[in-house]
PDB file of all heavy atoms in Angstrom:
ATOM      1  N   ALA A1468      30.629 -22.457-223.607  1.00 98.00           N
ATOM      2  CA  ALA A1468      31.510 -22.503-224.776  1.00 98.00           C
ATOM      3  C   ALA A1468      30.634 -22.472-226.005  1.00 98.00           C
ATOM      4  O   ALA A1468      29.373 -22.533-226.065  1.00 98.00           O
ATOM      5  CB  ALA A1468      32.256 -23.870-224.702  1.00 98.00           C
ATOM      6  N   VAL A1469      31.356 -22.173-227.085  1.00 98.00           N
ATOM      7  CA  VAL A1469      30.773 -21.983-228.418  1.00 98.00           C
ATOM      8  C   VAL A1469      31.545 -22.879-229.397  1.00 98.00           C
ATOM      9  O   VAL A1469      32.697 -22.967-229.409  1.00 98.00           O
ATOM     10  CB  VAL A1469      30.732 -20.543-228.960  1.00 98.00           C
ATOM     11  CG1 VAL A1469      30.124 -20.603-230.391  1.00 98.00           C
ATOM     12  CG2 VAL A1469      29.937 -19.641-228.046  1.00 98.00           C
ATOM     13  N   VAL A1470      30.787 -23.840-230.129  1.00 98.00           N
ATOM     14  CA  VAL A1470      31.355 -24.554-231.203  1.00 98.00           C
ATOM     15  C   VAL A1470      30.935 -24.009-232.466  1.00 98.00           C
ATOM     16  O   VAL A1470      29.725 -23.898-232.791  1.00 98.00           O
ATOM     17  CB  VAL A1470      31.075 -26.014-231.048  1.00 98.00           C
ATOM     18  CG1 VAL A1470      31.583 -26.867-232.232  1.00 98.00           C
ATOM     19  CG2 VAL A1470      31.601 -26.648-229.783  1.00 98.00           C
ATOM     20  N   GLY A1471      31.823 -23.556-233.326  1.00 98.00           N
ATOM     21  CA  GLY A1471      31.465 -22.921-234.625  1.00 98.00           C
ATOM     22  C   GLY A1471      30.898 -23.852-235.605  1.00 98.00           C
ATOM     23  O   GLY A1471      31.121 -25.046-235.535  1.00 98.00           O
ATOM     24  N   ALA A1472      30.052 -23.373-236.403  1.00 98.00           N
ATOM     25  CA  ALA A1472      29.305 -24.104-237.522  1.00 98.00           C
ATOM     26  C   ALA A1472      30.297 -24.982-238.186  1.00 98.00           C
ATOM     27  O   ALA A1472      31.366 -24.552-238.633  1.00 98.00           O
ATOM     28  CB  ALA A1472      28.532 -23.205-238.337  1.00 98.00           C
ATOM     29  N   GLY A1473      29.865 -26.201-238.473  1.00 98.00           N
ATOM     30  CA  GLY A1473      30.670 -27.194-239.318  1.00 98.00           C
ATOM     31  C   GLY A1473      31.920 -27.675-238.654  1.00 98.00           C
ATOM     32  O   GLY A1473      32.711 -28.339-239.358  1.00 98.00           O
ATOM     33  N   SER A1474      32.027 -27.488-237.341  1.00 98.00           N
ATOM     34  CA  SER A1474      33.262 -27.973-236.658  1.00 98.00           C
ATOM     35  C   SER A1474      33.110 -29.493-236.401  1.00 98.00           C
ATOM     36  O   SER A1474      32.009 -30.013-236.183  1.00 98.00           O
ATOM     37  CB  SER A1474      33.457 -27.307-235.400  1.00 98.00           C
ATOM     38  OG  SER A1474      33.701 -25.935-235.607  1.00 98.00           O
ATOM     39  N   VAL A1475      34.323 -30.146-236.282  1.00 98.00           N
ATOM     40  CA  VAL A1475      34.363 -31.575-235.806  1.00 98.00           C
ATOM     41  C   VAL A1475      35.151 -31.569-234.555  1.00 98.00           C
ATOM     42  O   VAL A1475      36.317 -31.385-234.547  1.00 98.00           O
ATOM     43  CB  VAL A1475      35.043 -32.513-236.922  1.00 98.00           C
ATOM     44  CG1 VAL A1475      35.114 -33.919-236.450  1.00 98.00           C
ATOM     45  CG2 VAL A1475      34.291 -32.365-238.219  1.00 98.00           C
ATOM     46  N   VAL A1476      34.420 -31.902-233.440  1.00 98.00           N
ATOM     47  CA  VAL A1476      35.057 -31.753-232.176  1.00 98.00           C
ATOM     48  C   VAL A1476      35.484 -33.070-231.716  1.00 98.00           C
ATOM     49  O   VAL A1476      34.777 -34.009-231.451  1.00 98.00           O
ATOM     50  CB  VAL A1476      34.069 -31.168-231.125  1.00 98.00           C
ATOM     51  CG1 VAL A1476      34.699 -30.913-229.758  1.00 98.00           C
ATOM     52  CG2 VAL A1476      33.461 -29.892-231.690  1.00 98.00           C
ATOM     53  N   THR A1477      36.936 -33.247-231.642  1.00 98.00           N
ATOM     54  CA  THR A1477      37.528 -34.477-231.351  1.00 98.00           C
ATOM     55  C   THR A1477      38.014 -34.501-229.861  1.00 98.00           C
ATOM     56  O   THR A1477      38.492 -35.580-229.401  1.00 98.00           O
ATOM     57  CB  THR A1477      38.664 -34.775-232.281  1.00 98.00           C
ATOM     58  OG1 THR A1477      39.645 -33.679-232.142  1.00 98.00           O
ATOM     59  CG2 THR A1477      38.193 -34.863-233.761  1.00 98.00           C
ATOM     60  N   LYS A1478      38.149 -33.327-229.221  1.00 98.00           N
ATOM     61  CA  LYS A1478      38.752 -33.227-227.866  1.00 98.00           C
ATOM     62  C   LYS A1478      37.842 -32.183-227.072  1.00 98.00           C
ATOM     63  O   LYS A1478      37.184 -31.393-227.622  1.00 98.00           O
ATOM     64  CB  LYS A1478      40.168 -33.059-227.815  1.00 98.00           C
ATOM     65  CG  LYS A1478      40.648 -31.785-228.427  1.00 98.00           C
ATOM     66  CD  LYS A1478      42.061 -31.639-228.523  1.00 98.00           C
ATOM     67  CE  LYS A1478      42.522 -30.390-229.111  1.00 98.00           C
ATOM     68  NZ  LYS A1478      43.923 -30.174-229.122  1.00 98.00           N
ATOM     69  N   ASP A1479      38.102 -32.155-225.780  1.00 98.00           N
ATOM     70  CA  ASP A1479      37.325 -31.282-224.987  1.00 98.00           C
ATOM     71  C   ASP A1479      37.479 -29.771-225.393  1.00 98.00           C
ATOM     72  O   ASP A1479      38.593 -29.478-225.738  1.00 98.00           O
ATOM     73  CB  ASP A1479      37.681 -31.461-223.502  1.00 98.00           C
ATOM     74  CG  ASP A1479      37.325 -32.824-222.956  1.00 98.00           C
ATOM     75  OD1 ASP A1479      36.556 -33.627-223.553  1.00 98.00           O
ATOM     76  OD2 ASP A1479      37.777 -33.106-221.773  1.00 98.00           O
ATOM     77  N   VAL A1480      36.409 -29.094-225.096  1.00 98.00           N
ATOM     78  CA  VAL A1480      36.408 -27.589-225.269  1.00 98.00           C
ATOM     79  C   VAL A1480      36.221 -26.964-223.896  1.00 98.00           C
ATOM     80  O   VAL A1480      35.214 -27.288-223.278  1.00 98.00           O
ATOM     81  CB  VAL A1480      35.293 -27.191-226.303  1.00 98.00           C
ATOM     82  CG1 VAL A1480      35.232 -25.629-226.399  1.00 98.00           C
ATOM     83  CG2 VAL A1480      35.457 -27.808-227.616  1.00 98.00           C
ATOM     84  N   PRO A1481      37.218 -26.118-223.448  1.00 98.00           N
ATOM     85  CA  PRO A1481      37.064 -25.568-222.127  1.00 98.00           C
ATOM     86  C   PRO A1481      35.835 -24.639-222.002  1.00 98.00           C
ATOM     87  O   PRO A1481      35.307 -24.193-223.028  1.00 98.00           O
ATOM     88  CB  PRO A1481      38.347 -24.771-221.921  1.00 98.00           C
ATOM     89  CG  PRO A1481      39.272 -25.237-223.048  1.00 98.00           C
ATOM     90  CD  PRO A1481      38.397 -25.787-224.241  1.00 98.00           C
ATOM     91  N   ALA A1482      35.426 -24.391-220.784  1.00 98.00           N
ATOM     92  CA  ALA A1482      34.353 -23.450-220.474  1.00 98.00           C
ATOM     93  C   ALA A1482      34.743 -22.093-221.092  1.00 98.00           C
ATOM     94  O   ALA A1482      35.900 -21.665-221.169  1.00 98.00           O
ATOM     95  CB  ALA A1482      34.217 -23.273-219.059  1.00 98.00           C
ATOM     96  N   ALA A1483      33.741 -21.428-221.611  1.00 98.00           N
ATOM     97  CA  ALA A1483      33.830 -19.967-222.135  1.00 98.00           C
ATOM     98  C   ALA A1483      34.875 -19.886-223.249  1.00 98.00           C
ATOM     99  O   ALA A1483      35.466 -18.810-223.525  1.00 98.00           O
ATOM    100  CB  ALA A1483      34.147 -19.058-221.037  1.00 98.00           C
ATOM    101  N   ALA A1484      35.120 -21.019-224.015  1.00 98.00           N
ATOM    102  CA  ALA A1484      35.932 -20.851-225.140  1.00 98.00           C
ATOM    103  C   ALA A1484      35.144 -20.999-226.457  1.00 98.00           C
ATOM    104  O   ALA A1484      34.086 -21.625-226.518  1.00 98.00           O
ATOM    105  CB  ALA A1484      36.991 -22.081-225.035  1.00 98.00           C
TER     106      ALA A1484
END
Side-chain angles (χ1 to χ4, degrees):
V1469 176
V1470 172
S1474 296
V1475 177
V1476 185
T1477 61
K1478 61 183 180 178
D1479 293 353
V1480 175

